[in-house]
């Protein structure tokens, strides 16, 4: 899952990027409203953490512009303490959740997991597909209760597919959601990750839909 962090405070931006990367997400960061807005326009993100007090363009304006342009990704806003006006304005501008600074990183991660789940139509923190279970709380995958060892890229591919079960996902979509924006993206590597995942997962779980992409066959 691909997360955008728009935060001008360098220490907090780094802490957020580190915590999200450790949690198994791929992260892009922007340090001002203008570049954050641009990234949210041109890239595909599964969720955004958006500070409201930003240089060049404030967070409310960034959010409003995205929503006006039809960008529907979940957005969690970071607001200053004791500023309830800002929270109301943020929610009215299209925010899905908010956190007041300072916050605990664990709470941010939990709220983000909930946003990602809900956006994909899942109510439980455990995503299940046949005998495969992905626990979004600790980024662990089990097959028939046995822990599965995955590389970070394999995990990102599987996590995206588990969040979008029974949908056909193209290689280019997977590429956009498992690599950061400045990464040298090569959609051929997706085939490699899929090949490795197939060796680790039950047979027939990842279906190739010729010319279109891949589908996780969970409903049968
Ligand atoms: Ca700020």
């Amino acid at each position: 899952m691909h997360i955008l962090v728009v935060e001008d405070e360098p220490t907090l931006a780094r802490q957020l990027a580190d915590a999200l990367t450790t949690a198994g997400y791929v992260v892009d960061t922007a340090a001002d409203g203008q570049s954050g807005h641009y990234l949210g326009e041109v890239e595909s993100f599964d969720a955004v953490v958006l500070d409201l007090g930003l240089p060049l363009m404030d967070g409310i304006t960034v959010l409003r512009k995205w929503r006006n342009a039809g960008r529907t990704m979940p957005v969690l806003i970071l607001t200053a303490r004791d500023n309830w006006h800002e929270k109301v304005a943020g929610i009215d501008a299209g925010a899905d959740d908010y956190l007041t600074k300072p916050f605990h990183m664990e709470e941010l991660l939990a709220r983000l997991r909930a946003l990602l789940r809900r956006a994909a139509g899942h109510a439980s923190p455990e995503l299940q597909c046949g005998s495969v279970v992905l626990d979004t709380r600790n980024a662990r995958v089990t097959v028939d209760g046995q822990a599965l060892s995955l590389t970070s890229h394999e995990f990102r591919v599987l996590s995206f597919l588990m969040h979008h079960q029974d949908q056909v996902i193209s290689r280019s979509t997977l590429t956009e959601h498992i690599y950061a924006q400045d990464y040298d993206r090569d959609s051929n590597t997706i085939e490699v990750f899929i090949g490795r995942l197939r060796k680790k997962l039950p047979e027939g779980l990842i279906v190739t839909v010729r010319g279109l992409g891949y589908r996780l066959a969970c409903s049968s």
Side-chain angles (χ1 to χ4, degrees):
M1 307 295 263
H2 195 183
I3 313 290
L4 172 64
V5 172
V6 191
E7 168 61 62
D8 58 316
E9 212 270 286
T11 307
L12 180 56
R14 198 165 48 241
Q15 287 168 346
L16 282 163
D18 287 350
L20 290 167
T21 305
T22 304
Y25 303 110
V26 54
V27 184
D28 276 315
T29 55
D32 66 75
Q34 238 164 43
S35 54
H37 170 255
Y38 173 76
L39 275 180
E41 282 274 300
V42 300
E43 286 286 317
S44 298
F45 291 101
D46 298 291
V48 180
V49 178
L50 176 67
D51 184 29
L52 290 188
L54 292 168
L56 300 181
M57 190 190 291
D58 68 88
I60 300 275
T61 306
V62 171
L63 184 51
R64 218 171 262 145
K65 282 164 91 80
W66 281 338
R67 295 310 192 216
N68 286 342
R71 308 295 282 177
T72 58
M73 67 285 201
V75 175
L76 187 156
I77 53 171
L78 304 178
T79 69
R81 197 152 56 95
D82 298 332
N83 192 341
W84 65 268
H85 293 275
E86 211 178 50
K87 284 174 202 157
V88 173
I91 291 163
D92 280 344
D96 298 275
D97 200 358
Y98 68 86
L99 265 178
T100 304
K101 290 181 177 181
F103 54 84
H104 290 282
M105 203 54 83
E106 283 303 314
E107 184 175 2
L108 179 129
L109 292 172
R111 286 176 181 273
L112 209 53
R113 285 195 294 273
L115 288 180
L116 291 166
R117 280 201 315 261
R118 286 204 293 266
H122 302 284
S124 160
E126 288 191 339
L127 307 180
Q128 185 163 9
C129 178
S131 58
V132 180
V133 175
L134 188 155
D135 190 336
T136 60
R137 292 166 297 192
N138 53 22
R140 291 214 180 99
V141 180
T142 56
V143 179
D144 286 323
Q146 300 285 318
L148 199 62
S149 171
L150 298 172
T151 66
S152 60
H153 281 103
E154 288 165 8
F155 174 80
R156 288 175 192 167
V157 170
L158 182 61
S159 176
F160 191 82
L161 292 174
M162 290 288 279
H163 275 84
H164 301 88
Q165 298 180 10
D166 296 311
Q167 298 173 31
V168 178
I169 307 293
S170 71
R171 277 196 297 174
S172 64
T173 298
L174 274 175
T175 307
E176 285 168 15
H177 290 268
I178 73 156
Y179 291 122
Q181 176 248 347
D182 55 1
Y183 201 89
D184 179 21
R185 292 171 173 175
D186 177 359
S187 63
N188 289 318
T189 57
I190 296 292
E191 271 178 61
V192 176
F193 298 137
I194 292 282
R196 287 190 203 150
L197 279 170
R198 276 190 170 132
K199 289 197 185 119
K200 298 181 179 185
L201 294 169
E203 215 182 319
L205 195 82
I206 303 178
V207 177
T208 301
V209 183
R210 205 165 288 280
L212 293 175
Y214 304 100
R215 183 173 61 85
L216 215 55
C218 306
S219 52
S220 55

